[in-house]
Amino acid sequence: MTRRISLTQYLIEQQRQHGHIPQELRLLIEVVARACKRIAISVNKGALGEVLGTAGSENVQGEVQKKLDIIANEVLIEANEWGGHLAAMASEEMEGIYVVPNRFPQGEYLLMFDPLDGSSNIDVNVSIGTIFSVLKKPEGSAGVSEADFLQPGTQQAAAGYCVYGPQTTLVLTVGDGVVMFTLDREQGSFVLTEDEVKIPEDTKEFAINMSNMRHWDAPMKRYIDECLEGSTGVRGKDFNMRWIASMVADVHRILTRGGVFMYPWDKREPNKAGKLRLMYEANPMAFLVEQAGGAATNARQRIMEMQPTQLHERVAVVLGSKNEVERVTAYHLG
Ligand code: AHG
Ligand code: MN
Ligand code: MN
């Protein structure tokens, strides 16, 4: 029988062999994984758990909150606030940061999350997920403030997501490659199922919301036009298209078989850099993608090197197979 390695065992062995996962970070990852298991249970119950539909409120970004957005946010906070590993948390669903209450010990780490990614897919039973990013509180800063979170993605100590699809899969990086764990529902544990995730450098598959094409800028249009020309065009090959509208699920496909994912700037709201959020969507996904040998830019520069100025800052995103990301970026820079 092949040896089954649980998330707990994997993290302990990594800590022992390479010493690169500090104790507090290991605890943090385990707690996030436990929260994701709870969210998975709610997701799976669907209508039977009365978790579908809208909550009747809006988040700070003016988006209608679904019941599951709020449930997932609460589960993540409750699970993480008491363990002593965190100083504060920030979430898509909360305007300001959530400082660990005084009654609990404070740790060194900062946790950011998109508790429920792909909200428009909840009610139609299509894959959704949770995205998270971990930073360390800057040394010497007394207390904790929003400014402590405004660090570039290169500073991430860990990042990952959990996709709630036909399987529940947790994908993780601590800066030493990308690993995947599949939830064994009977045992209640995440089991290592992929330990060296690699994104092929070339691809014939792109993911973009094509209905926005008329709003894009010229370089973006050029790239997609050339893909659509197929084997008789300049690219000399036929492309396939996929768009799930859950970033987690689209990125999961790209980590599994390659591809390029794009959510570009568009003309409708020229002052908005993009739709996706830098701190808890783009940065963690960029970290994972780069660790798997891919690339991630905002169509001009590396996402992970961007200096954030706001917690809920938005960004254009181009990520996935390296050669395609470089091509899209070159078109914009040229
Ligand atoms: P969220 O549900 O957390 O707000 O994120 C949704 C995001 C992302 O997951 C997805 O790629 C994109 O929005 C889909 O946008 P469109 O509906 O414009 O295609
Ligand atoms: Mn999201
Ligand atoms: Mn969300």
Side-chain angles (χ1 to χ4, degrees):
M1 203 182 102
T2 50
R3 194 168 81 103
R4 281 166 61 107
I5 301 172
S6 68
L7 174 67
T8 304
Q9 192 178 350
Y10 172 82
L11 293 172
I12 290 175
E13 284 176 357
Q14 287 293 309
Q15 193 182 349
R16 250 185 230 150
Q17 286 164 16
H18 312 290
H20 62 228
I21 307 185
Q23 180 93 4
E24 275 199 354
L25 182 58
R26 181 164 69 78
L27 178 65
L28 190 165
I29 294 167
E30 292 233 41
V31 173
V32 169
R34 209 177 305 145
C36 289
K37 258 189 265 179
R38 280 187 58 193
I39 297 169
I41 291 168
S42 287
V43 168
N44 293 152
K45 284 196 176 130
L48 301 178
E50 292 177 21
V51 298
L52 304 184
T54 57
S57 49
E58 276 187 5
N59 66 15
V60 57
Q61 337 200 18
E63 298 159 340
V64 174
Q65 290 178 306
K66 297 283 175 75
K67 283 185 192 156
L68 262 179
D69 287 320
I70 293 172
I71 293 169
N73 194 58
E74 281 169 3
V75 167
L76 279 156
I77 287 175
E78 251 181 61
N80 277 287
E81 67 180 352
W82 54 272
H85 51 285
L86 285 183
M89 297 177 242
S91 159
E92 180 188 341
E93 305 303 339
M94 299 187 293
E95 182 164 5
I97 63 168
Y98 180 90
V99 178
V100 167
N102 279 336
R103 61 182 185 278
F104 302 119
Q106 277 214 359
E108 289 300 298
Y109 288 99
L110 305 173
L111 176 65
M112 278 156 295
F113 43 83
D114 175 355
L116 213 292
D117 174 68
S119 303
S120 71
N121 283 322
I122 296 172
D123 295 350
V124 290
N125 200 0
V126 171
S127 294
I128 49 183
T130 297
I131 312 174
F132 66 94
S133 163
V134 183
L135 291 166
K136 222 168 176 185
K137 206 177 76 158
E139 302 232 341
S141 74
V144 58
S145 69
E146 196 167 308
D148 294 331
F149 283 80
L150 304 180
Q151 305 178 42
T154 49
Q155 296 299 109
Q156 290 171 103
Y161 64 78
C162 186
V163 55
Y164 314 111
Q167 302 113 45
T168 292
T169 309
L170 182 77
V171 181
L172 174 72
T173 185
V174 289
D176 183 32
V178 177
V179 283
M180 292 186 181
F181 301 85
T182 306
L183 181 62
D184 179 332
R185 283 178 209 281
E186 282 79 47
Q187 305 277 346
S189 67
F190 280 105
V191 179
L192 183 68
T193 43
E194 202 65 65
D195 66 354
E196 248 180 80
V197 178
K198 284 278 166 269
I199 301 176
E201 287 191 352
D202 291 300
T203 182
K204 293 181 180 183
E205 201 159 70
F206 65 84
I208 194 164
N209 185 339
M210 289 286 289
S211 69
N212 295 329
M213 190 167 196
R214 68 188 183 286
H215 307 297
W216 300 336
D217 57 7
M220 198 65 243
K221 270 201 192 116
R222 172 185 171 198
Y223 175 76
I224 293 296
D225 278 338
E226 289 179 0
C227 291
L228 297 178
E229 282 167 12
S231 55
T232 54
V234 287
R235 300 301 309 275
K237 58 183 181 183
D238 293 329
F239 278 78
N240 189 15
M241 192 203 91
R242 286 286 183 276
W243 185 251
I244 302 173
S246 292
M247 187 192 202
V248 166
D250 279 308
V251 170
H252 192 66
R253 183 189 59 257
I254 288 170
L255 283 170
T256 307
R257 67 174 187 212
V260 56
F261 169 96
M262 289 152 290
Y263 212 113
W265 169 91
D266 80 40
K267 284 183 200 128
R268 282 170 299 178
E269 286 181 89
N271 297 327
K272 211 154 108 182
K275 174 178 184 184
L276 299 173
R277 275 62 51 120
L278 175 61
M279 305 294 289
Y280 39 82
E281 290 180 317
N283 266 338
M285 292 313 203
F287 193 16
L288 288 163
V289 164
E290 285 194 9
Q291 284 293 317
T297 73
N298 70 348
R300 289 189 168 78
Q301 77 176 107
R302 189 178 168 215
I303 285 175
M304 291 221 290
E305 283 174 3
M306 296 176 70
Q307 174 59 52
T309 57
Q310 284 175 51
L311 208 52
H312 299 289
E313 180 168 340
R314 295 177 188 259
V315 65
V317 174
V318 180
L319 61 76
S321 290
K322 204 173 184 162
N323 291 336
E324 293 305 305
V325 175
E326 281 172 4
R327 180 182 283 267
V328 178
T329 308
Y331 287 4
H332 282 80
L333 292 174

